[in-house]
Amino acid sequence: MAEVTLRDVARASGCSVATVSRVLAGTRPVGAETTRTVREAAERLGYRPNQVARALRSRSTGTVGLVLPQITNPFFPALVRELEHALHAEGRAVLLADCDDDPATEAARISAFLDRQVDALLVIPVDERHSRDAVARAAARVPLVLLDRGCGPGVADAVAVDNAAGMALVLEHLAATGRRRPCFVGADGTASAAVERRTAYEAGAGAFGPTAPGRVELGDFSVEWGRTAVNRIWPSRPDAFVCANDLIAVGALQRLRQLGADVPGEVAVTGFDDIPLAGLADPALTTVRQPVAELAAEAAWLLARQPDGGGAGSRRTVRLAPELVVRASSGARGAPAK
Amino acid sequence: MAEVTLRDVARASGCSVATVSRVLAGTRPVGAETTRTVREAAERLGYRPNQVARALRSRSTGTVGLVLPQITNPFFPALVRELEHALHAEGRAVLLADCDDDPATEAARISAFLDRQVDALLVIPVDERHSRDAVARAAARVPLVLLDRGCGPGVADAVAVDNAAGMALVLEHLAATGRRRPCFVGADGTASAAVERRTAYEAGAGAFGPTAPGRVELGDFSVEWGRTAVNRIWPSRPDAFVCANDLIAVGALQRLRQLGADVPGEVAVTGFDDIPLAGLADPALTTVRQPVAELAAEAAWLLARQPDGGGAGSRRTVRLAPELVVRASSGARGAPAK
DNA sequence: TTGAAAGCGCTAACAC
DNA sequence: GTGTTAGCGCTTTCAA
């Protein structure tokens, strides 16, 4: 069962390979009658264009590389899904790389994708600093869009949620529901989400009163760190734990319950991202929902509109507005759910 | 910055493109001196083989398509991660398809991958019945391994966890810790995991006593169904909820707590899969851990050893042994954790 | 051991 | 509109 090629179709329809190519690719106008004949022959023979040959000749593989730190990070699957759909809708296939949170692996994967002639790259960088070189090099060769996390200024186009706006929504909500002594459990390091959420908290928490913006403890984006942070902070009895992401918040929630704290009566807990786990926590977690579908659509669009040269046109960063999702973990005070 | 090609390297090292190709691909023996010169020139020019051209000529893209129902199913990310690593270690890249749990989309994605000349396919079928045709057709063209779920007998090689053994581990554990009135919350439909776990429960639950194997309620693999099932069954006071996967179990756990049931004192709850959520539930969920890394390794191995023809050699199904992970949700009776 | 030459299947100039 | 002709960059005969 040898593959059917363009030649076979040409032979069967009595015209040249060029004509067949034009009919099937729709590149140039072709006579109506010929078109019909060719279509019919292609159909009859079950012709399927060989995308590899097409790619070699046209210098476009119709493939984009999606490079991410760790697919097991619960925020990513939904994003990957939307990206896959958005790209597939444009007829592009997705090559996936999981970098194991390691910049060296990331550089290797990016390099391998370039060798495979991907048309473009979508990168969620592992690290703000250590990913920079590889990303910048790649961006010079193909259209590249940074997603969710930054990678230093001017390196590439980027699309991300507006972390500051999200944090502002949280603080506003907490203030409006009577919280007065918030604290912040964040992540240290230079990752853009970590920095931006932390900064936004510090900027906004001043509004809670003349006193300091409450305690700020920094660790990493993990459930475990959420638990630890509660151990450190709870003795000073804040009335709200503002967490830099949902994993931290879930850890905080767990530990607070173990300690017998009343959430949300005595203390509120909020997260960020709205991963699936957030809705399943008990009490369900108030959090900031990232507009995942929009992030994906915007990234796909940016990718499509970049010139192929990979030239250093002015880089643009698109910020998408998040949405506050109020759930039980920040419910009304004084009326503890029984 | 035009790409460096084999010709450039040949010119720079003073020999023919054929020789350069042989040196770099290591296909045929080449003189030591020549080898050195070529290597040096390639290095100096920063030569990177164009994988598309290589693929066209050698009829092998070094690419495998990974087709799955929904990346957002929390069991898949870990599997995808392991597969990506296993395949990348062999120098193969992974094309990802998310089928939105729709057989038609699945068929389209598989078809698109074949057009792209993937060397092989790894498929977690959407549906036992409705995925069958597309999978069988694809298996006739390239090596194909079914993962995690079956697709009818004899369709393709398959690798999956031994669901029956896993369920047996659960039942044994429950019996050993004194449970006597189990019930089963499963999923209906013909998906292999659903059927196998259900059957294994029915086969094993007889050991709990002469009476019927407790109630069996079937819905789908969701948290919501877990909650609903508890509403239906709890009034009859079983002392163990054996759930067909972790999502159902988490839902059951939530609802039981809302109803004021004491888990594990009064009733045990068990899951299946050991998704990340299982360890975070409260109480933490006793479950059956799938050997994800081994599943991935085995799948990659099966793929590699299949003849290229995609011929219908005898199909083999590999079953991997799961492991019971005992956590708080099935802890000792009568000593309710306070 | 090496080189020359023939393509892999397709698209894109360039003629007609 | 359509055919002819070159290749895309590489691997792989086939000779030497």
Side-chain angles (χ1 to χ4, degrees), chain B residues 239-301:
Chain B
D239 65 359
F241 277 88
V242 177
C243 304
N245 80 348
D246 289 343
L247 291 177
I248 295 174
V250 164
L253 229 34
Q254 281 190 344
R255 190 67 190 128
L256 282 169
R257 187 165 48 206
Q258 284 173 358
L259 294 173
D262 170 22
V263 180
E266 193 174 359
V267 57
V269 175
T270 66
F272 207 114
D273 290 342
D274 196 28
I275 61 177
L277 179 54
L280 297 175
D282 187 26
L285 190 63
T286 289
T287 188
V288 176
R289 176 176 300 159
Q290 297 218 32
V292 177
E294 288 80 359
L295 285 169
E298 192 66 34
W301 194 82

Short mmCIF file of all heavy atoms in Angstrom, two decimals, chain B residues 239-301:
data_model
loop_
_atom_site.label_atom_id
_atom_site.label_comp_id
_atom_site.label_asym_id
_atom_site.label_seq_id
_atom_site.Cartn_x
_atom_site.Cartn_y
_atom_site.Cartn_z
N ASP B 239 -20.00 0.85 55.41
CA ASP B 239 -18.85 1.30 56.21
C ASP B 239 -17.62 1.53 55.31
O ASP B 239 -16.52 1.73 55.82
CB ASP B 239 -18.54 0.32 57.35
CG ASP B 239 -18.10 -1.04 56.86
OD1 ASP B 239 -18.05 -1.24 55.63
OD2 ASP B 239 -17.81 -1.90 57.71
N ALA B 240 -17.84 1.49 54.00
CA ALA B 240 -16.74 1.84 53.08
C ALA B 240 -17.29 2.22 51.72
O ALA B 240 -18.16 1.52 51.17
CB ALA B 240 -15.77 0.67 52.95
N PHE B 241 -16.80 3.34 51.20
CA PHE B 241 -17.12 3.73 49.83
C PHE B 241 -15.90 3.41 48.97
O PHE B 241 -14.86 4.04 49.11
CB PHE B 241 -17.39 5.24 49.74
CG PHE B 241 -18.79 5.62 50.10
CD1 PHE B 241 -19.13 5.89 51.43
CD2 PHE B 241 -19.78 5.72 49.13
CE1 PHE B 241 -20.42 6.26 51.77
CE2 PHE B 241 -21.07 6.09 49.47
CZ PHE B 241 -21.41 6.35 50.79
N VAL B 242 -16.08 2.42 48.12
CA VAL B 242 -15.00 2.09 47.19
C VAL B 242 -15.31 2.83 45.89
O VAL B 242 -16.32 2.54 45.24
CB VAL B 242 -14.94 0.57 46.94
CG1 VAL B 242 -13.87 0.24 45.91
CG2 VAL B 242 -14.68 -0.16 48.26
N CYS B 243 -14.46 3.78 45.56
CA CYS B 243 -14.77 4.60 44.39
C CYS B 243 -13.88 4.21 43.21
O CYS B 243 -12.72 3.85 43.38
CB CYS B 243 -14.59 6.07 44.72
SG CYS B 243 -15.59 6.58 46.13
N ALA B 244 -14.43 4.35 42.02
CA ALA B 244 -13.73 3.89 40.82
C ALA B 244 -12.59 4.82 40.39
O ALA B 244 -11.74 4.43 39.61
CB ALA B 244 -14.70 3.72 39.67
N ASN B 245 -12.60 6.05 40.89
CA ASN B 245 -11.40 6.88 40.69
C ASN B 245 -11.35 7.96 41.79
O ASN B 245 -12.25 8.07 42.62
CB ASN B 245 -11.33 7.47 39.28
CG ASN B 245 -12.21 8.69 39.10
OD1 ASN B 245 -13.05 9.00 39.94
ND2 ASN B 245 -12.03 9.37 37.99
N ASP B 246 -10.29 8.72 41.76
CA ASP B 246 -10.08 9.69 42.83
C ASP B 246 -11.08 10.84 42.81
O ASP B 246 -11.46 11.37 43.85
CB ASP B 246 -8.66 10.26 42.76
CG ASP B 246 -7.62 9.23 43.15
OD1 ASP B 246 -7.98 8.22 43.78
OD2 ASP B 246 -6.42 9.44 42.84
N LEU B 247 -11.48 11.23 41.62
CA LEU B 247 -12.43 12.35 41.55
C LEU B 247 -13.73 11.99 42.24
O LEU B 247 -14.26 12.76 43.05
CB LEU B 247 -12.69 12.73 40.09
CG LEU B 247 -11.51 13.38 39.37
CD1 LEU B 247 -11.86 13.64 37.90
CD2 LEU B 247 -11.12 14.68 40.05
N ILE B 248 -14.24 10.80 41.95
CA ILE B 248 -15.45 10.35 42.61
C ILE B 248 -15.24 10.32 44.13
O ILE B 248 -16.07 10.79 44.91
CB ILE B 248 -15.83 8.93 42.13
CG1 ILE B 248 -16.18 8.95 40.64
CG2 ILE B 248 -16.98 8.37 42.95
CD1 ILE B 248 -16.44 7.55 40.06
N ALA B 249 -14.09 9.81 44.52
CA ALA B 249 -13.81 9.69 45.95
C ALA B 249 -13.75 11.05 46.64
O ALA B 249 -14.24 11.21 47.76
CB ALA B 249 -12.49 8.94 46.15
N VAL B 250 -13.17 12.02 45.95
CA VAL B 250 -13.09 13.35 46.54
C VAL B 250 -14.50 13.92 46.72
O VAL B 250 -14.82 14.53 47.74
CB VAL B 250 -12.23 14.28 45.66
CG1 VAL B 250 -12.44 15.74 46.04
CG2 VAL B 250 -10.76 13.90 45.81
N GLY B 251 -15.33 13.72 45.74
CA GLY B 251 -16.72 14.17 45.84
C GLY B 251 -17.43 13.48 47.00
O GLY B 251 -18.15 14.11 47.78
N ALA B 252 -17.19 12.20 47.12
CA ALA B 252 -17.82 11.44 48.20
C ALA B 252 -17.37 11.96 49.55
O ALA B 252 -18.17 12.17 50.47
CB ALA B 252 -17.48 9.95 48.05
N LEU B 253 -16.08 12.19 49.66
CA LEU B 253 -15.49 12.70 50.89
C LEU B 253 -16.13 14.03 51.30
O LEU B 253 -16.52 14.24 52.46
CB LEU B 253 -13.99 12.91 50.63
CG LEU B 253 -12.93 12.39 51.58
CD1 LEU B 253 -13.33 11.09 52.24
CD2 LEU B 253 -11.61 12.24 50.82
N GLN B 254 -16.25 14.90 50.32
CA GLN B 254 -16.83 16.22 50.59
C GLN B 254 -18.25 16.09 51.13
O GLN B 254 -18.60 16.68 52.14
CB GLN B 254 -16.89 17.03 49.29
CG GLN B 254 -15.60 17.65 48.89
CD GLN B 254 -15.82 18.63 47.74
OE1 GLN B 254 -16.87 18.61 47.09
NE2 GLN B 254 -14.83 19.47 47.52
N ARG B 255 -19.03 15.31 50.43
CA ARG B 255 -20.44 15.19 50.80
C ARG B 255 -20.59 14.51 52.15
O ARG B 255 -21.44 14.91 52.96
CB ARG B 255 -21.17 14.40 49.71
CG ARG B 255 -22.68 14.39 49.86
CD ARG B 255 -23.27 15.77 49.66
NE ARG B 255 -24.67 15.81 50.04
CZ ARG B 255 -25.20 16.70 50.88
NH1 ARG B 255 -24.44 17.65 51.40
NH2 ARG B 255 -26.48 16.66 51.17
N LEU B 256 -19.77 13.50 52.39
CA LEU B 256 -19.84 12.81 53.68
C LEU B 256 -19.52 13.77 54.82
O LEU B 256 -20.16 13.74 55.87
CB LEU B 256 -18.86 11.63 53.70
CG LEU B 256 -19.34 10.39 52.94
CD1 LEU B 256 -18.22 9.37 52.78
CD2 LEU B 256 -20.54 9.75 53.66
N ARG B 257 -18.56 14.62 54.59
CA ARG B 257 -18.24 15.56 55.65
C ARG B 257 -19.38 16.53 55.88
O ARG B 257 -19.75 16.84 57.00
CB ARG B 257 -16.96 16.32 55.33
CG ARG B 257 -16.54 17.16 56.53
CD ARG B 257 -15.14 17.64 56.45
NE ARG B 257 -14.91 18.22 55.13
CZ ARG B 257 -13.73 18.29 54.57
NH1 ARG B 257 -12.67 17.81 55.18
NH2 ARG B 257 -13.59 18.84 53.39
N GLN B 258 -19.95 16.99 54.77
CA GLN B 258 -21.10 17.90 54.91
C GLN B 258 -22.22 17.25 55.69
O GLN B 258 -22.92 17.90 56.47
CB GLN B 258 -21.63 18.29 53.53
CG GLN B 258 -20.78 19.32 52.82
CD GLN B 258 -21.27 19.53 51.38
OE1 GLN B 258 -22.21 18.88 50.94
NE2 GLN B 258 -20.61 20.43 50.67
N LEU B 259 -22.36 15.95 55.50
CA LEU B 259 -23.44 15.24 56.18
C LEU B 259 -23.05 14.88 57.61
O LEU B 259 -23.82 14.23 58.32
CB LEU B 259 -23.80 13.97 55.40
CG LEU B 259 -24.43 14.21 54.02
CD1 LEU B 259 -24.59 12.89 53.26
CD2 LEU B 259 -25.78 14.91 54.16
N GLY B 260 -21.85 15.24 57.98
CA GLY B 260 -21.44 14.99 59.36
C GLY B 260 -20.93 13.58 59.62
O GLY B 260 -20.77 13.16 60.77
N ALA B 261 -20.66 12.84 58.55
CA ALA B 261 -20.15 11.48 58.75
C ALA B 261 -18.70 11.54 59.22
O ALA B 261 -17.97 12.47 58.89
CB ALA B 261 -20.25 10.70 57.45
N ASP B 262 -18.32 10.56 59.97
CA ASP B 262 -16.95 10.50 60.45
C ASP B 262 -16.12 9.60 59.54
O ASP B 262 -16.32 8.39 59.52
CB ASP B 262 -16.95 9.97 61.89
CG ASP B 262 -15.53 9.65 62.37
OD1 ASP B 262 -14.57 10.21 61.82
OD2 ASP B 262 -15.43 8.83 63.31
N VAL B 263 -15.22 10.23 58.79
CA VAL B 263 -14.31 9.49 57.92
C VAL B 263 -12.91 9.62 58.51
O VAL B 263 -12.46 10.74 58.74
CB VAL B 263 -14.30 10.06 56.49
CG1 VAL B 263 -13.33 9.27 55.61
CG2 VAL B 263 -15.70 10.07 55.90
N PRO B 264 -12.26 8.55 58.84
CA PRO B 264 -12.57 7.15 58.52
C PRO B 264 -13.26 6.38 59.65
O PRO B 264 -13.51 5.18 59.47
CB PRO B 264 -11.17 6.58 58.31
CG PRO B 264 -10.34 7.31 59.32
CD PRO B 264 -10.92 8.69 59.41
N GLY B 265 -13.54 7.04 60.76
CA GLY B 265 -14.08 6.29 61.90
C GLY B 265 -15.31 5.48 61.55
O GLY B 265 -15.37 4.26 61.76
N GLU B 266 -16.24 6.16 60.94
CA GLU B 266 -17.52 5.55 60.67
C GLU B 266 -17.54 4.87 59.30
O GLU B 266 -18.16 3.81 59.12
CB GLU B 266 -18.56 6.68 60.70
CG GLU B 266 -19.99 6.28 60.73
CD GLU B 266 -20.85 7.55 60.91
OE1 GLU B 266 -20.28 8.66 61.01
OE2 GLU B 266 -22.07 7.42 60.93
N VAL B 267 -16.88 5.51 58.38
CA VAL B 267 -16.88 4.99 57.01
C VAL B 267 -15.55 5.32 56.32
O VAL B 267 -15.01 6.41 56.49
CB VAL B 267 -18.08 5.58 56.23
CG1 VAL B 267 -18.05 7.10 56.22
CG2 VAL B 267 -18.13 5.05 54.80
N ALA B 268 -15.05 4.35 55.60
CA ALA B 268 -13.81 4.56 54.85
C ALA B 268 -14.16 5.00 53.43
O ALA B 268 -15.24 4.70 52.93
CB ALA B 268 -13.00 3.28 54.80
N VAL B 269 -13.23 5.71 52.79
CA VAL B 269 -13.41 6.09 51.38
C VAL B 269 -12.10 5.79 50.66
O VAL B 269 -11.02 6.12 51.16
CB VAL B 269 -13.74 7.59 51.25
CG1 VAL B 269 -13.80 7.99 49.78
CG2 VAL B 269 -15.05 7.90 51.94
N THR B 270 -12.21 5.15 49.52
CA THR B 270 -11.00 4.89 48.73
C THR B 270 -11.19 5.34 47.30
O THR B 270 -12.31 5.36 46.79
CB THR B 270 -10.63 3.39 48.70
OG1 THR B 270 -11.64 2.67 47.99
CG2 THR B 270 -10.52 2.82 50.11
N GLY B 271 -10.08 5.68 46.67
CA GLY B 271 -10.11 6.13 45.29
C GLY B 271 -9.31 5.21 44.38
O GLY B 271 -9.05 4.05 44.72
N PHE B 272 -8.93 5.75 43.23
CA PHE B 272 -8.12 4.98 42.28
C PHE B 272 -7.42 5.99 41.37
O PHE B 272 -8.05 6.92 40.89
CB PHE B 272 -9.02 4.07 41.45
CG PHE B 272 -8.32 2.82 40.94
CD1 PHE B 272 -8.69 1.56 41.38
CD2 PHE B 272 -7.27 2.92 40.03
CE1 PHE B 272 -8.05 0.41 40.92
CE2 PHE B 272 -6.63 1.77 39.57
CZ PHE B 272 -7.02 0.52 40.01
N ASP B 273 -6.16 5.81 41.17
CA ASP B 273 -5.28 6.61 40.27
C ASP B 273 -4.16 7.31 41.02
O ASP B 273 -3.06 7.44 40.53
CB ASP B 273 -6.03 7.67 39.45
CG ASP B 273 -6.92 7.06 38.38
OD1 ASP B 273 -6.70 5.88 38.06
OD2 ASP B 273 -7.81 7.75 37.89
N ASP B 274 -4.50 7.82 42.22
CA ASP B 274 -3.57 8.66 42.96
C ASP B 274 -3.18 9.91 42.18
O ASP B 274 -1.99 10.17 41.93
CB ASP B 274 -2.31 7.90 43.39
CG ASP B 274 -1.56 8.67 44.48
OD1 ASP B 274 -2.21 9.43 45.22
OD2 ASP B 274 -0.33 8.53 44.56
N ILE B 275 -4.17 10.68 41.83
CA ILE B 275 -3.90 12.00 41.23
C ILE B 275 -3.42 12.92 42.36
O ILE B 275 -3.60 12.61 43.55
CB ILE B 275 -5.16 12.58 40.55
CG1 ILE B 275 -6.29 12.78 41.57
CG2 ILE B 275 -5.61 11.66 39.42
CD1 ILE B 275 -7.53 13.43 40.96
N PRO B 276 -2.79 14.03 42.02
CA PRO B 276 -2.24 14.91 43.05
C PRO B 276 -3.28 15.31 44.10
O PRO B 276 -2.98 15.45 45.28
CB PRO B 276 -1.77 16.13 42.24
CG PRO B 276 -1.50 15.61 40.88
CD PRO B 276 -2.48 14.49 40.67
N LEU B 277 -4.49 15.50 43.63
CA LEU B 277 -5.57 15.89 44.52
C LEU B 277 -5.78 14.90 45.66
O LEU B 277 -6.20 15.28 46.77
CB LEU B 277 -6.84 16.02 43.67
CG LEU B 277 -8.15 16.41 44.34
CD1 LEU B 277 -7.98 17.71 45.11
CD2 LEU B 277 -9.23 16.57 43.28
N ALA B 278 -5.49 13.66 45.43
CA ALA B 278 -5.76 12.62 46.44
C ALA B 278 -5.04 12.91 47.74
O ALA B 278 -5.60 12.77 48.83
CB ALA B 278 -5.39 11.25 45.90
N GLY B 279 -3.80 13.31 47.63
CA GLY B 279 -3.01 13.58 48.83
C GLY B 279 -3.43 14.86 49.54
O GLY B 279 -3.12 15.07 50.71
N LEU B 280 -4.15 15.71 48.82
CA LEU B 280 -4.53 17.00 49.38
C LEU B 280 -5.93 16.98 49.98
O LEU B 280 -6.33 17.91 50.68
CB LEU B 280 -4.48 18.08 48.30
CG LEU B 280 -3.09 18.33 47.70
CD1 LEU B 280 -3.19 19.33 46.56
CD2 LEU B 280 -2.16 18.85 48.78
N ALA B 281 -6.68 15.94 49.70
CA ALA B 281 -8.04 15.88 50.23
C ALA B 281 -7.96 15.79 51.76
O ALA B 281 -6.91 15.50 52.32
CB ALA B 281 -8.75 14.67 49.66
N ASP B 282 -9.07 16.04 52.39
CA ASP B 282 -9.09 15.99 53.84
C ASP B 282 -10.28 15.16 54.31
O ASP B 282 -11.40 15.58 54.12
CB ASP B 282 -9.17 17.40 54.40
CG ASP B 282 -9.02 17.39 55.91
OD1 ASP B 282 -8.39 16.45 56.43
OD2 ASP B 282 -9.56 18.30 56.56
N PRO B 283 -10.08 14.01 54.87
CA PRO B 283 -8.77 13.38 55.11
C PRO B 283 -8.13 12.92 53.81
O PRO B 283 -8.84 12.67 52.84
CB PRO B 283 -9.13 12.18 55.99
CG PRO B 283 -10.54 11.86 55.63
CD PRO B 283 -11.19 13.16 55.33
N ALA B 284 -6.82 12.82 53.83
CA ALA B 284 -6.09 12.39 52.64
C ALA B 284 -6.63 11.04 52.20
O ALA B 284 -7.00 10.19 53.01
CB ALA B 284 -4.60 12.31 52.93
N LEU B 285 -6.65 10.86 50.89
CA LEU B 285 -7.35 9.73 50.31
C LEU B 285 -6.49 8.47 50.14
O LEU B 285 -5.43 8.51 49.54
CB LEU B 285 -7.88 10.16 48.95
CG LEU B 285 -8.86 9.25 48.22
CD1 LEU B 285 -10.14 9.10 49.02
CD2 LEU B 285 -9.14 9.83 46.85
N THR B 286 -7.00 7.38 50.65
CA THR B 286 -6.39 6.08 50.36
C THR B 286 -6.75 5.74 48.92
O THR B 286 -7.91 5.88 48.51
CB THR B 286 -6.97 5.00 51.29
OG1 THR B 286 -6.48 5.23 52.61
CG2 THR B 286 -6.55 3.61 50.82
N THR B 287 -5.76 5.32 48.16
CA THR B 287 -6.03 5.11 46.74
C THR B 287 -5.05 4.12 46.13
O THR B 287 -4.16 3.62 46.81
CB THR B 287 -6.02 6.46 45.98
OG1 THR B 287 -6.47 6.27 44.65
CG2 THR B 287 -4.62 7.04 45.96
N VAL B 288 -5.25 3.85 44.85
CA VAL B 288 -4.37 2.93 44.14
C VAL B 288 -3.51 3.74 43.19
O VAL B 288 -4.04 4.44 42.33
CB VAL B 288 -5.20 1.92 43.34
CG1 VAL B 288 -4.29 1.02 42.51
CG2 VAL B 288 -6.05 1.09 44.27
N ARG B 289 -2.23 3.67 43.38
CA ARG B 289 -1.34 4.47 42.57
C ARG B 289 -1.00 3.76 41.27
O ARG B 289 -0.50 2.64 41.26
CB ARG B 289 -0.05 4.78 43.32
CG ARG B 289 0.98 5.53 42.45
CD ARG B 289 2.19 5.92 43.24
NE ARG B 289 1.80 6.78 44.35
CZ ARG B 289 2.52 6.97 45.44
NH1 ARG B 289 3.68 6.34 45.58
NH2 ARG B 289 2.10 7.77 46.39
N GLN B 290 -1.24 4.45 40.17
CA GLN B 290 -0.84 3.90 38.89
C GLN B 290 0.67 4.12 38.71
O GLN B 290 1.17 5.19 39.03
CB GLN B 290 -1.59 4.60 37.76
CG GLN B 290 -3.08 4.39 37.83
CD GLN B 290 -3.68 4.23 36.43
OE1 GLN B 290 -3.04 3.72 35.53
NE2 GLN B 290 -4.91 4.68 36.28
N PRO B 291 1.34 3.14 38.19
CA PRO B 291 2.79 3.28 37.98
C PRO B 291 3.05 4.08 36.71
O PRO B 291 3.41 3.53 35.68
CB PRO B 291 3.25 1.83 37.84
CG PRO B 291 2.06 1.13 37.26
CD PRO B 291 0.83 1.85 37.74
N VAL B 292 2.86 5.38 36.84
CA VAL B 292 2.88 6.26 35.67
C VAL B 292 4.18 6.19 34.88
O VAL B 292 4.16 6.06 33.65
CB VAL B 292 2.60 7.71 36.10
CG1 VAL B 292 2.69 8.64 34.93
CG2 VAL B 292 1.23 7.79 36.74
N ALA B 293 5.30 6.26 35.57
CA ALA B 293 6.58 6.24 34.86
C ALA B 293 6.75 4.92 34.11
O ALA B 293 7.22 4.90 32.97
CB ALA B 293 7.72 6.45 35.85
N GLU B 294 6.35 3.85 34.74
CA GLU B 294 6.49 2.54 34.10
C GLU B 294 5.55 2.42 32.90
O GLU B 294 5.91 1.85 31.88
CB GLU B 294 6.20 1.40 35.09
CG GLU B 294 7.27 1.20 36.14
CD GLU B 294 7.18 2.20 37.29
OE1 GLU B 294 6.27 3.08 37.25
OE2 GLU B 294 7.99 2.12 38.21
N LEU B 295 4.35 2.95 33.06
CA LEU B 295 3.42 2.93 31.93
C LEU B 295 4.04 3.64 30.73
O LEU B 295 4.02 3.14 29.61
CB LEU B 295 2.11 3.63 32.32
CG LEU B 295 1.15 2.89 33.24
CD1 LEU B 295 0.04 3.83 33.72
CD2 LEU B 295 0.54 1.69 32.53
N ALA B 296 4.62 4.78 31.01
CA ALA B 296 5.23 5.57 29.94
C ALA B 296 6.40 4.83 29.33
O ALA B 296 6.52 4.73 28.10
CB ALA B 296 5.68 6.92 30.47
N ALA B 297 7.25 4.29 30.16
CA ALA B 297 8.43 3.59 29.66
C ALA B 297 8.02 2.39 28.81
O ALA B 297 8.56 2.15 27.73
CB ALA B 297 9.31 3.16 30.82
N GLU B 298 7.06 1.68 29.31
CA GLU B 298 6.60 0.48 28.61
C GLU B 298 5.98 0.86 27.26
O GLU B 298 6.23 0.21 26.25
CB GLU B 298 5.57 -0.24 29.49
CG GLU B 298 5.23 -1.62 29.03
CD GLU B 298 6.40 -2.59 29.13
OE1 GLU B 298 7.21 -2.42 30.07
OE2 GLU B 298 6.51 -3.47 28.27
N ALA B 299 5.21 1.92 27.26
CA ALA B 299 4.58 2.36 26.02
C ALA B 299 5.65 2.76 25.01
O ALA B 299 5.58 2.38 23.83
CB ALA B 299 3.65 3.54 26.29
N ALA B 300 6.63 3.49 25.47
CA ALA B 300 7.71 3.93 24.57
C ALA B 300 8.45 2.71 24.02
O ALA B 300 8.80 2.66 22.85
CB ALA B 300 8.67 4.85 25.31
N TRP B 301 8.62 1.74 24.87
CA TRP B 301 9.36 0.55 24.46
C TRP B 301 8.56 -0.26 23.43
O TRP B 301 9.09 -0.68 22.41
CB TRP B 301 9.67 -0.30 25.70
CG TRP B 301 10.68 -1.34 25.41
CD1 TRP B 301 12.03 -1.16 25.39
CD2 TRP B 301 10.43 -2.71 25.08
NE1 TRP B 301 12.63 -2.33 25.06
CE2 TRP B 301 11.70 -3.30 24.87
CE3 TRP B 301 9.29 -3.48 24.95
CZ2 TRP B 301 11.83 -4.64 24.52
CZ3 TRP B 301 9.42 -4.82 24.60
CH2 TRP B 301 10.68 -5.39 24.39
#
